[in-house]
Amino acid sequence: MSIEFGSDDIEHEHTVVRLDGTDLPIELFRSRHTDTGAAIIMGAEAFSPNTFIRRVCSRLAAAGHTIVLPDYFRGEGPTDPDNYDDLASAHDAIEALDFRRAAFDLVAAARLARSFDDVDPDRVLAWGYCTGGTLA
């Protein structure tokens, strides 16, 4: 499916990785036309995957990179991830976040990226904002 705020050239799909007996939701962003062989594991900010981070992922995919966006909040992040005025909800989500597990979630996302035929396993990096920057 095409991402609603991106180009028709960007594939956006949702998948789930089974990790330590739990499901890790992941979003994948890829260009249909260009490919650098590189993958970026994107760590979302404290508000969890939202429109901002998906736009960043879409732009990076348009540049030819495979982007893997894990939801290390596992659906338990802020109730409205696009509401930057709701700092209390973001704070509560961060307080409840198991940072060790979240770091392993990024590692699992990197392993997934390395398994793709069009990704050079030596060209996988982590990038993040806010909480995702800490984890990256």
Side-chain angles (χ1 to χ4, degrees):
M1 97 178 109
S2 295
I3 193 162
E4 61 274 40
F5 41 79
S7 156
D8 287 339
D9 293 337
I10 304 303
E11 294 177 354
H12 175 218
E13 68 178 271
H14 296 262
T15 189
V16 174
V17 172
R18 191 81 175 149
L19 185 64
D20 296 329
T22 61
D23 291 337
L24 172 63
I26 288 181
E27 295 180 51
L28 301 172
F29 298 79
R30 295 175 177 207
S31 171
R32 289 188 173 110
H33 300 291
T34 60
D35 175 32
T36 63
I40 300 170
I41 311 310
M42 183 61 70
E45 58 193 356
F47 289 89
S48 74
N50 62 11
T51 300
F52 165 76
I53 204 73
R54 289 182 181 107
R55 282 189 178 134
V56 171
C57 291
S58 181
R59 287 181 185 135
L60 291 168
H65 310 298
T66 296
I67 312 301
V68 183
L69 172 62
D71 179 4
Y72 43 77
F73 287 106
R74 298 181 186 216
E76 300 296 320
T79 53
D80 181 0
D82 291 312
N83 182 1
Y84 286 105
D85 292 328
D86 187 5
L87 294 176
S89 182
H91 180 266
D92 291 346
I94 292 169
E95 286 291 316
L97 182 63
D98 178 342
F99 275 81
R100 184 175 187 275
R101 183 186 77 177
F104 280 112
D105 290 349
L106 264 67
V107 170
R111 284 189 184 126
L112 175 66
R114 285 186 173 107
S115 75
F116 298 144
D117 290 338
D118 57 347
V119 170
D120 178 344
D122 293 328
R123 298 188 68 209
V124 176
L125 64 95
W127 177 341
Y129 293 88
C130 188
T131 304
T134 300
L135 293 169

